[in-house]
Amino acid sequence: MSAQPPSDEHDFGRLFVQHQSRIYGFIRSLVVHRADAEDLLQETASVLWRKFDEFLPGSNFSAWALQVARFQVMYFRQRQKRDVLQFSDKFVDAVGADTIAESDRLGDLQELLELCMDKLPPADHELFDLRYHSDLSAKNIAEQLGRPLSTVYNAINRIRRTLAECVEQAMNRADRERT
Amino acid sequence: MTVAPNYHSELYELAGAQCEGTMVADQVARLEELVLGDGRLRRMYILYMHVHACAERRGAGGKGRGMAGLPAIDLSVSTGAAVEHPVGAAVELPLQPEPRTPSPEPPFPTLSTTNYPLPTPFVGSWAFSYMVATVIMGVMLLVFWAMKVTHHQHIAEAPAQSAPSEAMPEMVFVGRITGMVDVKWSDDPHYLPPPDFAHVPLERKYILSSGLLEITYDSGAKVILEGPCTYEVESTAGGYLALGKLTAKVASGQWPVASAKPQAANQKSPSSFILHPSSLFFVRTPTAIITDLGTEFGVEVNKAGTSKTHVFQGRVEMRLADGGRGEPLTIQLGVGESGQVEHGADGRGPTLLRGAADAAGFVRVGQLAKLAEQLHPTPLCRWQAWSKELRKRDDLLAYYDFQRDESDRLVLRNRAATGKQFDGRIESPAWVSGRFPGKHALRFGWAGNGVRVNIPIECKQLTLLAWVNLDSLPNPPECGGLLLSDGWNKVGFSRANFAGRIHWQIRYDGTISFTLDNRSGNMRSRPVFDNAETLGHWHHLAVVYVYGPETSHVVFYLDGEHVGGGNMIAVAHPTVVAKFGPAMIGAWWDSRDADCTCASYPLGGRIDELMIFRSALEAEEIHRIYESAKP
């Protein structure tokens, strides 16, 4: 029995939610500012929705979405003024291509991140929560805890690095188990 | 381009700046150099940014964002910037959708006479039978097709295995911080203290330089840490006190909790714990494990690791480190007893010394709030203490603190020594909040609402003070009553003599007025409520009256500062002393009118304290009264 053509917002929503962290991560790695990344995600979603009838269910939604996102990023860059801080075309091409190549691997990132966060010491976990769950800036956190900004800043960076390395190790383990 | 060998740290630092939004042009250039120069670095960067993006997405869910953390995606909106690339443009889609096949013809012919001209006779012929059979077959196929679609839709709705969970990874919390008094955390810049009144997770370390911190475990056990102190939460029912002092209280009959099997007492730091079916709260130290048997106790540990336990209530079991030889020594301590354990010298086991408990040396559970109050009294507490002293004054004629009497909410109590005779009766009461938390006030502002008092007193010297918060000024030519004797300038239907009766009020022009009835004198301050900024805030008003046979003298104050006054000219002679009699607070009763049914001249605002002194207070004292009780 051949797959039914996707026809409604529900299917699109389900697919987009499933892959949005990858799409957002992709965009975020290609632009300097968070606000730009959020705008680009909106634009990408708009285009994907409008072209959704061209997407064949069962094919690689993530790869398709990332390509669309990549072109949205490039178009965005053309619209930017010269003095706005942004990455070069070469950077976007290289990072974009590598991300698309890794997109399947990055699909498990959410789950692996949660496992890695379980391993964080309590103090690190609390700090991470303040930064991301409460959405406080490093400066706000430093004021709240009465600690130097540099200490908080370095601690958050260290935690992100720890999580990234943990996730990478987990991905490598998964790769070995698959082969 | 040459990439330095130790580039990981630099890459993470630059990526961190990007995540925190602090990147500058040089950093962008350097990040590009690193990322473009090395594929491994590029992949590290991609993973790091994806971790950050994932965390952003998970963390901010619910704050006006859709799709769990990201900006709400409005599929109906075209931003105008989204570009659709035309078909045939160089878009590399790894898996192009296959060319669509035309929809198959339906498996049965349509029943239309236009398509199938009917031979005559048609019905009953083999063609008709064939057509009917085909229709039936087609309907059956349609039914099966619909069922298959439903089945696929059901699968499509089921969440994918890798669908992200919205729940945060689970930390094990064992309680919360429920009290803090002057807490100063460790000076170590690498120690990150918890947020105030946070939940307490397992393995969390609390390092205080000074102050008091209370932790309430979910089991109900309470621990007060007294800095300097290092305490680590080891389980749902206990912790490790490496240094310092704590008091623990576990009421008897507490429901049992799974607790960690305590580590060996001589282990300096806790390792991963094992859940153990023991139900008792414990405190581990470098030299002992103190297990609660339904009690309150204190523990202190010095830098040498010597532990001393003091029992305030009930009993505890104290187990000593055995130094690896034989069963550890276990003793029980009762009320008023202490046990001190020191590391053994020269390889010997620890030594135990029994003594008396030092209860006074510990902050007991239940004392924290009171201590906090003493060290940092709230405005209400400070006011209460001040108010209590004020009542002792001999010259205090009446003192209304405007604190609601729960036994009778229609009464405004007179707290001066003159007592209940000057209690007020509230008409249409509206109890509201006063000038700080816990302080009550009465709101005035509509006809019939006010407080009736009767103070049949004459005074040659008088000071009236009140805390007032105005919402609005009265309409011209009216006034808002602060304290007004009944009636005005007439003998009144009761034929009483109103001469000298006090009218203290706020006029429509923002001035404060003090008038003695029957043309006995009239005085106003300069305009003090003359702009919107004065409304909606608490102000302290005062007026001082001093009788003189020829002229009397009046002085006005606002917030402890002089705002007008002078000699009060009496139209009528002889001058009269000030008097009260029947009066109202917050309004005026026109007793001239026998048909008057309700009070008028309402004050448009709140009063939360009013005092009447039968003396002329000095400016300095009025200022002091203002300062003592200002919000």
Side-chain angles (χ1 to χ4, degrees):
Chain A
M1 178 73 191
S2 60
Q4 298 302 312
S7 59
D8 59 20
E9 196 171 315
H10 174 79
D11 280 342
F12 176 80
R14 177 183 60 79
L15 282 166
F16 191 83
V17 165
Q18 190 177 338
H19 296 279
Q20 65 168 335
S21 61
R22 231 178 303 184
I23 300 168
Y24 180 66
F26 174 77
I27 295 171
R28 190 69 184 87
S29 64
L30 298 179
V31 297
V32 174
H33 302 297
R34 176 180 173 174
D36 294 336
E38 290 174 356
D39 288 344
L40 279 164
L41 182 69
Q42 172 73 45
E43 291 173 15
T44 303
S46 261
V47 172
L48 291 172
W49 169 238
R50 282 202 299 277
K51 294 174 80 64
F52 192 52
D53 58 347
E54 298 175 18
F55 173 73
L56 185 67
S59 60
N60 194 333
F61 181 88
S62 172
W64 177 58
L66 291 182
Q67 286 288 7
V68 171
R70 186 167 150 202
F71 277 95
Q72 290 307 128
V73 168
M74 294 179 83
Y75 182 64
F76 163 79
R77 289 160 45 70
Q78 290 166 15
R79 298 194 316 261
Q80 289 299 297
K81 292 179 186 167
R82 286 182 182 273
D83 57 352
V84 169
L85 209 55
Q86 56 178 336
F87 294 121
S88 65
D89 289 345
K90 208 172 165 187
F91 179 93
V92 171
D93 278 344
V95 171
D98 274 13
T99 306
I100 290 170
E102 293 271 294
S103 69
D104 284 341
R105 233 171 147 246
L106 291 170
D108 296 329
L109 188 139
Q110 187 87 38
E111 205 175 313
L112 296 175
L113 178 62
E114 293 184 20
L115 292 172
C116 288
M117 283 182 70
D118 276 344
K119 298 179 186 174
L120 285 176
D124 284 357
H125 209 295
E126 271 175 17
L127 182 61
F128 204 69
D129 281 354
L130 280 176
R131 170 63 182 83
Y132 287 103
H133 193 59
S134 304
D135 204 22
L136 295 176
S137 67
K139 185 166 178 286
N140 292 147
I141 295 171
E143 283 167 7
Q144 189 171 334
L145 299 182
R147 283 288 176 265
L149 174 59
S150 58
T151 301
V152 172
Y153 188 86
N154 292 338
I156 293 170
N157 251 7
R158 174 182 50 76
I159 295 167
R160 270 194 294 255
R161 177 176 177 169
T162 302
L163 289 172
E165 287 172 354
C166 172
V167 166
E168 187 180 21
Q169 285 166 15
M171 283 179 175
N172 291 340
R173 263 197 308 275
D175 289 343
R176 284 196 295 273
E177 283 164 13
R178 273 196 281 266
T179 55
Chain B
M1 185 212 65
T2 306
V3 177
N6 190 16
Y7 43 63
H8 295 82
S9 297
E10 190 183 3
L11 175 81
Y12 284 129
E13 199 176 312
L14 292 168
Q18 185 182 354
C19 294
E20 297 305 318
T22 58
M23 280 196 110
V24 294
D26 288 348
Q27 289 175 315
V28 171
R30 180 58 181 158
L31 179 64
E32 289 208 2
E33 190 182 16
L34 293 175
V35 165
L36 289 173
D38 189 294
R40 163 91 183 123
L41 278 183
R42 192 155 57 245
R43 286 188 291 279
M44 282 168 59
Y45 168 75
I46 289 169
L47 187 57
Y48 185 94
M49 292 308 296
H50 272 73
V51 164
H52 168 68
C54 242
E56 273 187 334
R57 174 191 169 274
R58 297 177 75 259
K63 288 183 188 174
R65 291 169 179 261
M67 292 189 182
L70 288 169
I73 305 295
D74 184 349
L75 296 176
S76 65
V77 170
S78 169
T79 60
V83 173
E84 294 191 30
H85 296 280
V87 173
V91 175
E92 296 172 14
L93 298 178
L95 284 174
Q96 286 281 8
E98 291 183 4
R100 288 175 180 256
T101 54
S103 301
E105 290 289 337
F108 52 91
T110 55
L111 294 175
S112 167
T113 55
T114 60
N115 289 336
Y116 297 93
L118 295 176
T120 318
F122 179 69
V123 176
S125 69
W126 65 266
F128 176 76
S129 302
Y130 173 76
M131 198 170 72
V132 168
T134 306
V135 166
I136 292 170
M137 183 66 74
V139 169
M140 288 172 63
L141 283 172
L142 190 62
V143 168
F144 283 131
W145 180 78
M147 284 173 61
K148 204 75 166 154
V149 166
T150 305
H151 180 59
H152 275 293
Q153 280 178 344
H154 177 72
I155 289 174
E157 282 161 8
Q161 278 187 346
S162 62
S165 161
E166 292 305 310
M168 295 293 288
E170 195 173 343
M171 286 178 74
V172 180
F173 293 102
V174 303
R176 318 188 54 120
I177 296 172
T178 49
M180 298 175 77
V181 179
D182 292 342
V183 167
K184 284 190 174 45
W185 297 103
S186 162
D187 288 338
D188 180 358
H190 298 294
Y191 172 71
L192 287 169
D196 288 355
F197 298 99
H199 288 284
V200 171
L202 273 172
E203 299 179 24
R204 204 0 163 145
K205 195 177 273 191
Y206 299 93
I207 308 177
L208 282 76
S209 293
S210 62
L212 299 167
L213 181 82
E214 181 184 77
I215 294 172
T216 301
Y217 282 76
D218 289 338
S219 64
K222 284 186 183 289
V223 169
I224 296 181
L225 307 177
E226 184 177 340
C229 167
T230 301
Y231 178 79
E232 182 156 345
V233 177
E234 276 199 325
S235 85
T236 56
Y240 177 66
L241 181 68
L243 177 72
K245 247 181 180 178
L246 69 77
T247 310
K249 182 167 186 177
V250 183
S252 58
Q254 216 92 58
W255 52 269
V257 293
S259 69
K261 182 175 179 181
Q263 303 296 317
N266 56 359
Q267 277 195 318
K268 287 234 157 74
S269 61
S271 55
S272 61
F273 66 96
I274 310 165
L275 282 178
H276 184 69
S278 163
S279 60
L280 303 174
F281 189 84
F282 72 92
V283 174
R284 193 167 67 85
T285 73
T287 47
I289 301 171
I290 301 99
T291 305
D292 166 74
L293 299 176
T295 187
E296 186 181 3
F297 61 96
V299 182
E300 51 184 332
V301 179
N302 65 15
K303 287 181 183 173
T306 299
S307 316
K308 192 166 182 183
T309 304
H310 308 253
V311 180
F312 311 133
Q313 291 175 7
R315 302 188 71 78
V316 300
E317 179 186 275
M318 197 168 180
R319 182 152 53 117
L320 282 63
D322 61 355
R325 299 179 303 169
E327 280 294 308
L329 178 62
T330 303
I331 60 167
Q332 284 200 6
L333 298 170
V335 176
E337 291 186 316
S338 72
Q340 179 171 306
V341 183
E342 295 176 354
H343 281 298
D346 302 327
R348 288 180 296 177
T351 56
L352 168 68
L353 198 64
R354 279 185 187 258
D358 172 25
F362 288 80
V363 175
R364 305 286 293 275
V365 172
Q367 288 179 340
L368 201 76
K370 201 169 176 184
L371 196 64
E373 199 58 51
Q374 285 168 358
L375 291 171
H376 303 285
T378 61
L380 182 70
C381 286
R382 279 199 302 270
W383 171 78
Q384 285 172 333
W386 173 85
S387 170
K388 203 171 167 186
E389 284 305 306
L390 181 78
R391 296 172 200 189
K392 297 175 186 172
R393 288 183 65 142
D394 294 333
D395 57 347
L396 188 62
L397 178 61
Y399 173 41
Y400 304 100
D401 66 2
F402 280 72
Q403 288 301 90
R404 189 173 59 221
D405 187 329
E406 295 302 333
S407 63
D408 189 346
R409 294 162 70 113
L410 295 179
V411 169
L412 185 66
R413 293 283 176 215
N414 169 35
R415 306 294 182 184
T418 44
K420 287 187 178 181
Q421 60 177 323
F422 295 155
D423 280 353
R425 197 81 198 154
I426 309 169
E427 294 181 354
S428 300
W431 286 105
V432 293
S433 57
R435 59 192 191 270
F436 34 72
K439 182 78 187 67
H440 301 151
L442 278 172
R443 180 178 288 285
F444 303 94
W446 54 94
N449 151 246
V451 181
R452 286 189 175 278
V453 294
N454 188 358
I455 306 174
I457 301 286
E458 291 182 1
C459 298
K460 286 189 174 178
Q461 293 184 355
L462 184 67
T463 305
L464 307 176
L465 306 101
W467 279 98
V468 174
N469 184 328
L470 281 188
D471 298 326
S472 61
L473 287 174
N475 293 322
E478 294 186 355
C479 299
L482 290 167
L483 177 63
L484 288 90
S485 298
D486 291 355
W488 174 251
N489 210 19
K490 293 283 184 187
V491 174
F493 68 89
S494 64
R495 307 194 71 76
N497 183 0
F498 282 44
R501 293 272 176 96
I502 287 164
H503 285 237
W504 185 36
Q505 55 203 333
I506 298 174
R507 289 166 47 90
Y508 62 90
D509 58 4
T511 60
I512 305 168
S513 161
F514 180 82
T515 307
L516 297 185
D517 197 358
N518 206 17
R519 299 184 299 164
S520 306
N522 185 356
M523 207 65 200
R524 292 182 210 166
S525 71
R526 62 169 171 79
V528 294
F529 294 102
D530 54 353
N531 61 71
E533 286 183 6
T534 56
L535 302 178
H537 300 283
W538 287 100
H539 293 287
H540 188 246
L541 308 181
V543 61
V544 179
Y545 163 82
V546 178
Y547 165 77
E550 294 299 323
T551 56
S552 301
H553 194 71
V554 172
V555 185
F556 296 98
Y557 297 87
L558 175 77
D559 295 338
E561 301 295 327
H562 179 265
V563 290
N567 289 332
M568 180 186 263
I569 309 297
V571 175
H573 286 282
T575 56
V576 297
V577 298
K579 58 181 77 158
F580 290 94
M584 282 200 86
I585 298 172
W588 175 58
W589 180 261
D590 187 359
S591 56
R592 298 170 296 178
D593 184 355
D595 295 328
C596 180
T597 54
C598 65
S600 55
Y601 282 16
L603 180 77
R606 292 177 275 171
I607 300 175
D608 85 344
E609 201 168 12
L610 194 145
M611 297 164 228
I612 306 173
F613 288 89
R614 54 174 138 216
S615 61
L617 300 188
E618 298 291 337
E620 203 177 297
E621 183 163 17
I622 290 175
H623 188 82
R624 210 165 36 243
I625 290 173
Y626 161 70
E627 287 290 339
S628 299
K630 67 180 182 182

